């Protein structure tokens, strides 16, 4: 095990240099960090529970950039299981591990098998209660009966509803004292799985001959609903250029991909998202609506798997936050990659919150941009690669 020392706050911290961690390939900026107080509090709280516990019985969930996993592996734990929804988080962890010469962890998708026999789970609390419900259900379904789940987060992003969600899967849920604006919820006593909660689905009228049924797993942004910006965008896509294939960048639950495949007969759609949950959801949405033969779904960080100047049409409803932080960096990253991947004359159709004023950035990163439509909340633009 690693040596521990008293830090300035009087608590125990592992002898691991968190300042060496980077966020890359996620957005990096002066006000964005690769670790937080919840990481350190989780590790401190876990320390007494690690004695005699083999690494292969430890699972880490939502480790944003590797702080939890790499502190454990640096202390000698081997076989730690890591579940991360975002592909950029997986890659950041691997990049940090490579730079620091650390190994001894394994990536897993979110499913009960990832927690088979686990005795300790360290969880960075997700933003979504649905995501937390799915995670806790998977843990309870397969972990050891004596498993301890330590769920940490920044106090400003936590709510008592999180306790209630954990209580659907565990008989005991307690809240610890706050430290440096972070807090730990401890859950134990796994309960029988309720089953049947995920994925969820809903039908929506989006102007097609039949309602569109959307499917969503827990961590998929917006669940099985039509995002308001997407609803504004969909009918306007009739004016998009003709192309054999469209790319739905940041596909979420697959609304745009399924709509294009159904509205434009022979069009094929490549749906991309870095969220493992979104990929499962978009794939299920395409299958449910009979469009699986025209919609290919992949997990990708932006458009990193596509070559330059290879696509004629990209459609994007960009996120405006990174984790719990509102930040334009993620949209700018997606715009820049769309500019790289579009062929000359290719189009990027984008819907965005009007107050964000993305048009100058689109002109710079993609090409000449014109407004297609605007309402009090949303703006739709088309940018043409020159």
């Amino acid at each position: 095990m690693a040596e521990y020392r008293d830090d300035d706050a009087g608590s125990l911290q592992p002898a691991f240099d968190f300042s060496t961690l980077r966020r890359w390939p996620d957005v990096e900026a002066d006000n964005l960090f690769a670790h937080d107080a919840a990481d350190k509090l989780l590790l401190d709280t876990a320390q007494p529970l690690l004695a005699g516990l083999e690494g292969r019985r430890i699972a880490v969930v939502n480790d944003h950039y590797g702080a939890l996993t790499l502190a454990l592996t640096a202390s000698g734990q081997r076989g730690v299981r890591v579940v991360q929804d975002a592909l950029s988080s997986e890659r950041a962890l691997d990049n940090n591990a490579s730079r620091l010469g650390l190994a001894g962890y394994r990536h897993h998708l979110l499913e009960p098998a990832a927690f088979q026999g686990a005795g300790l789970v360290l969880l960075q609390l997700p933003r979504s209660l649905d995501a937390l419900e799915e995670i806790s259900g998977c843990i309870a379904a397969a972990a050891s009966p004596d498993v301890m789940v330590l769920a940490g987060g920044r106090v400003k992003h936590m709510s008592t509803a999180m306790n209630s969600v954990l209580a659907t899967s565990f008989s005991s849920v307690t809240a610890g004292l706050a430290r440096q604006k972070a807090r730990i919820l401890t859950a134990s006593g796994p309960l029988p799985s309720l089953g049947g909660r995920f994925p969820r689905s809903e039908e929506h009228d989006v102007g097609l001959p039949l309602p569109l049924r959307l499917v969503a797993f827990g961590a998929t942004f917006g669940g099985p609903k039509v995002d308001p910006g997407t609803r504004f965008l969909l009918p306007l896509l009739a004016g998009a250029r003709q192309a054999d294939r469209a790319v739905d960048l940041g596909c979420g639950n697959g609304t745009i991909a399924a709509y294009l495949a159904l509205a434009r007969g022979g069009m094929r759609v490549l749906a991309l998202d870095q969220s493992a949950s979104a990929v499962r959801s978009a794939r299920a949405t395409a299958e449910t609506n009979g469009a699986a033969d025209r919609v290919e779904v992949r997990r990708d960080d932006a458009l990193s798997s596509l070559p330059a100047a290879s696509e004629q049409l990209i459609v994007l409803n960009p996120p405006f936050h990174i984790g719990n932080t509102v930040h334009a960096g993620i949209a700018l990253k997606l715009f820049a990659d769309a500019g790289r991947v579009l062929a000359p004359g290719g189009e990027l159709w984008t819907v965005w919150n009007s107050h964000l004023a993305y048009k100058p950035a689109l002109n710079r990163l993609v090409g000449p941009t014109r407004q297609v439509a605007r309402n009090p909340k949303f703006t739709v633009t088309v940018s043409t690669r020159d």
Side-chain angles (χ1 to χ4, degrees):
M1 298 298 295
E3 296 180 357
Y4 278 66
R5 66 175 187 273
D6 288 328
D7 69 2
D8 293 338
S11 62
L12 291 178
Q13 292 294 345
F16 176 79
D17 188 356
F18 293 93
S19 68
T20 61
L21 299 176
R22 290 188 57 190
R23 297 167 55 94
W24 184 257
D26 205 351
V27 176
E28 296 189 303
D30 290 343
N31 62 335
L32 297 174
F33 305 97
H35 68 279
D36 63 19
D39 290 316
K40 295 181 178 181
L41 184 54
L42 278 165
L43 290 164
D44 274 350
T45 308
Q47 178 60 17
L49 305 175
L50 293 173
L53 190 65
E54 297 179 0
R56 61 186 180 84
R57 294 194 63 217
I58 301 171
V60 176
V61 185
N62 287 349
D63 192 1
H64 302 309
Y65 304 103
L68 297 171
T69 304
L70 296 180
L72 288 170
T73 56
S75 72
Q77 297 288 355
R78 293 293 178 266
V80 175
R81 312 173 206 181
V82 186
V83 177
Q84 296 165 291
D85 184 61
L87 182 58
S88 61
S89 293
E90 280 191 12
R91 290 179 174 175
L93 168 57
D94 290 345
N95 290 343
N96 283 320
S98 178
R99 286 191 306 105
L100 298 175
L102 295 172
Y105 61 88
R106 295 172 292 162
H107 291 295
H108 292 263
L109 295 175
L110 177 62
E111 57 185 354
F115 305 99
Q116 189 67 47
L120 176 64
V121 179
L122 305 187
L123 164 64
Q124 269 274 10
L125 284 162
R127 298 175 70 235
S128 159
L129 293 178
D130 280 354
L132 180 58
E133 182 180 343
E134 187 174 18
I135 291 165
S136 59
C138 286
I139 297 169
S144 172
D146 63 354
V147 67
M148 296 290 291
V149 179
L150 305 180
R154 302 303 302 275
V155 171
K156 65 180 179 180
H157 301 308
M158 297 174 69
S159 68
T160 55
M162 291 177 170
N163 303 51
S164 300
V165 169
L166 285 168
T168 64
S169 294
F170 297 92
S171 61
S172 173
V173 179
T174 58
L177 297 176
R179 190 186 82 188
Q180 295 179 315
K181 300 180 181 180
R183 189 187 300 277
I184 302 295
L185 304 179
T186 301
S188 60
L191 298 171
S193 173
L194 297 177
R197 295 285 291 175
F198 297 97
R200 295 174 177 167
S201 65
E202 293 181 11
E203 286 190 349
H204 300 274
D205 182 1
V206 293
L208 294 171
L210 295 175
L212 189 67
R213 177 168 287 278
L214 301 180
V215 182
F217 289 85
T220 301
F221 180 77
K225 299 187 180 301
V226 181
D227 176 84
T230 295
R231 186 177 288 279
F232 183 51
L233 169 68
L234 291 179
L236 300 170
L237 292 175
R241 66 169 296 155
Q242 294 298 314
D244 292 333
R245 182 169 88 164
V247 177
D248 179 5
L249 174 55
C251 63
N253 62 22
T255 303
I256 293 173
Y259 177 89
L260 285 172
L262 295 170
R264 287 206 176 184
M267 175 177 277
R268 295 176 298 112
V269 183
L270 175 60
L272 302 175
D273 204 295
Q274 70 157 334
S275 162
S277 178
V279 166
R280 294 175 71 194
S281 300
R283 190 170 288 135
T285 290
E287 292 172 354
T288 298
N289 291 281
D293 60 333
R294 281 161 286 163
V295 177
E296 178 187 356
V297 187
R298 292 186 206 161
R299 192 174 181 218
D300 199 0
D301 181 17
L303 298 161
S304 63
S305 66
L306 299 183
S310 61
E311 300 293 334
Q312 294 293 327
L313 177 61
I314 299 174
V315 182
L316 169 64
N317 181 352
F320 55 88
H321 55 79
I322 302 173
N324 288 310
T325 304
V326 175
H327 200 283
I330 185 62
L332 299 181
K333 173 181 175 177
L334 296 174
F335 296 162
D337 219 18
R340 177 185 67 83
V341 167
L342 280 173
E347 294 178 349
L348 170 67
W349 283 69
T350 312
V351 59
W352 35 275
N353 295 74
S354 296
H355 72 274
L356 295 174
Y358 281 144
K359 190 174 179 182
L362 288 163
N363 279 321
R364 182 178 76 256
L365 297 171
V366 183
T369 298
R370 64 179 174 86
Q371 179 176 301
V372 176
R374 183 185 180 96
N375 68 17
K377 292 188 68 174
F378 301 107
T379 297
V380 173
T381 55
V382 56
S383 307
T384 303
R385 187 65 176 151
D386 52 15

